[in-house]
Amino acid sequence: CPQQSNHVLNLSFFYMYGRSGANSRVWDTRTWTFHKITNPAGLWIQAACWLPDNRTLLYSMCGKSDIHAVHLSGDIVKTGIINRQIFSASANTVTSDSGTKQEVGGIIRDMSIDKRNGQRLAIAFENTTLIALYSVKQVSLLSMLEEPMLFPM
């Protein structure tokens, strides 16, 4: 994974992540206060994107196939955040129209959500040039703890 710092901005929050250090930060741009998100030892954020609700951030860790969701509510310094793994992109073999078999899934390189309505998530993987598309189910804060959010298309 590249050694760099990155950020993802929406209208209310600024998310800064990078390889150095064990923390990422979510800044509330209205007050410029921040909340630290502690990364697991030896891991850092590889890719991240905001859902259109401007309160839910999807991210993946370098070298991993998991996608996590961070949901922000209220004053993030006082109320904190909910951080949960929502998906694991296991490797699968797919067959193209020409009959060629290729593996898709595994370690996530990058991801992007459609900006218009947040219903589609595109994921690029380390081991293939194929892009996987997933349907995103917008769920409530309470449902996020129990219901799946991503479905293969």
Side-chain angles (χ1 to χ4, degrees):
C1 295
Q3 292 188 13
Q4 59 187 20
S5 286
N6 291 301
H7 65 279
V8 183
L9 176 67
N10 72 24
L11 297 176
S12 302
F13 299 99
F14 179 73
Y15 180 64
M16 184 148 191
Y17 62 97
R19 184 171 182 164
S20 61
N23 295 312
S24 301
R25 292 182 182 195
V26 178
W27 293 84
D28 184 332
T29 60
R30 296 165 295 200
T31 61
W32 290 108
T33 54
F34 68 88
H35 182 84
K36 282 185 192 177
I37 299 173
T38 302
N39 299 334
L43 293 176
W44 53 92
I45 305 299
Q46 172 68 21
C49 59
W50 288 103
L51 292 183
D53 68 1
N54 290 328
R55 294 232 171 245
T56 306
L57 178 79
L58 302 181
Y59 71 91
S60 64
M61 306 298 284
C62 185
K64 298 293 183 182
S65 62
D66 302 328
I67 295 177
H68 300 260
V70 170
H71 185 81
L72 310 169
S73 61
D75 181 343
I76 61 172
V77 174
K78 292 178 184 171
T79 61
I81 60 174
I82 292 177
N83 188 354
R84 174 181 172 260
Q85 179 183 329
I86 61 165
F87 184 74
S88 186
S90 58
N92 294 300
T93 302
V94 296
T95 305
S96 69
D97 292 339
S98 65
T100 306
K101 293 187 180 207
Q102 190 169 4
E103 190 175 279
V104 65
I107 297 172
I108 297 171
R109 181 171 36 95
D110 203 359
M111 63 182 168
S112 182
I113 192 89
D114 78 280
K115 303 291 186 212
R116 182 177 296 171
N117 54 26
Q119 293 179 347
R120 306 285 183 268
L121 179 68
I123 302 175
F125 299 97
E126 293 289 332
N127 64 345
T128 183
T129 57
L130 297 178
I131 304 292
L133 293 177
Y134 293 87
S135 176
V136 179
K137 178 182 177 187
Q138 303 289 330
V139 298
S140 70
L141 176 60
L142 294 175
S143 297
M144 185 176 143
L145 298 174
E146 298 176 5
E147 290 184 38
M149 289 180 65
L150 297 180
F151 303 92
M153 294 182 65

